[in-house]
Amino acid sequence: MDSVVSEATAVAFGEPDEELKPWQTDRSRAPIATKIVVAGGFGVGKTTLVSAASEIQPLQTEALMTRASEDHDDLSATPDKLTTTVAMDFGRLTLDDDLVLYLFGTPGQQRFWFMWDDLVRGAIGAIVLADTRRLRDCFPALDYFESTGLPYIVAVNHFEGSERFEVEDVREALTVPPHIPVMIMDARRRISVIETLLALVGHALEVSPE
């Protein structure tokens, strides 16, 4: 596990690596394709995370907010939000020739939760995004992944103007078990997103080494 994550980190952040890896000399080896799900409440930054990490033009199913959604979508914390995901976000990130991540962002509103079972099928793990201004919005995602047994980590997307909290404070507020990684990150920054993705890959390998 450590070797996979360390190699991916070196490639992602441009760290020097003098020794050639097997995938650099044997081009017949196919890369490992992994599926990762990004979940969380409405307006927490799932689309932003996928867009920041993706090396291709991300697929987005964004629709304009309308008056019809005013009674269902709480915009108090995101008053400038004009669109919402109605199906999924999709992106791809190649960490090295042996590891390709396919990112699937779920819609956050309750009326779209029926699609989650299809979106998570075949995934190695999930990132549950949280906003400290409305932590209760991520409880449905936490409950879902706990019930399905899919490995997950919690990533607190720190928004400008919001109060910063320590990791352990967030863990206690969400009653996240000690073995589940909790991170503070910025979904707009690619490096921050990659660090979060690597944390999930490492956790998934620990939980399900096969």
Side-chain angles (χ1 to χ4, degrees):
M1 179 200 72
D2 292 338
S3 61
V4 173
V5 175
S6 61
E7 289 173 16
T9 303
V11 174
F13 298 115
E15 297 176 3
D17 193 352
E18 298 177 357
E19 183 179 351
L20 290 177
K21 305 301 179 185
W23 52 264
Q24 291 176 303
T25 56
D26 182 4
R27 294 301 176 180
S28 65
R29 293 179 56 175
I32 299 172
T34 60
K35 179 180 181 181
I36 288 175
V37 173
V38 183
F42 169 73
V44 77
K46 300 179 295 294
T47 299
T48 301
L49 185 151
V50 173
S51 299
S54 182
E55 65 197 12
I56 62 173
Q57 181 66 32
L59 169 66
Q60 299 176 345
T61 56
E62 293 279 287
L64 288 173
M65 304 287 292
T66 65
R67 287 185 175 272
S69 68
E70 289 181 352
D71 295 333
H72 304 281
D73 301 325
D74 182 8
L75 294 175
S76 58
T78 55
D80 296 328
K81 187 173 177 60
L82 300 177
T83 62
T84 184
T85 299
V86 295
M88 69 172 186
D89 299 308
F90 172 76
R92 184 188 72 199
L93 175 63
T94 302
L95 291 180
D96 61 35
D97 288 354
D98 267 1
L99 184 60
V100 180
L101 306 182
Y102 293 95
L103 313 177
F104 289 78
T106 67
Q109 297 96 317
Q110 182 176 356
R111 59 187 181 276
F112 297 128
W113 288 353
F114 68 92
M115 292 185 285
W116 282 25
D117 287 340
D118 290 328
L119 288 176
V120 304
R121 188 173 293 117
I124 66 164
I127 296 172
V128 177
L129 273 185
D131 179 352
T132 55
R133 298 171 298 180
R134 44 202 173 96
L135 284 177
R136 66 183 183 277
D137 290 355
C138 72
F139 278 115
L142 293 174
D143 293 340
Y144 180 85
F145 295 121
E146 282 287 346
S147 65
T148 60
L150 187 70
Y152 71 92
I153 68 171
V154 176
V156 178
N157 186 19
H158 179 64
F159 287 80
E160 290 184 6
S162 63
E163 185 178 355
R164 295 190 70 96
F165 292 90
E166 297 297 327
V167 165
E168 291 309 313
D169 293 332
V170 175
R171 182 186 300 279
E172 181 179 356
L174 296 176
T175 63
V176 176
H179 68 281
I180 303 294
V182 177
M183 305 181 64
I184 308 295
M185 54 87 70
D186 187 338
R188 300 167 301 178
R189 298 178 59 241
R190 191 167 191 266
I191 290 178
S192 182
V193 172
I194 290 176
E195 289 175 341
T196 303
L197 291 169
L198 289 173
L200 173 60
V201 171
H203 177 61
L205 285 171
E206 288 180 351
V207 175
S208 305
E210 68 278 6

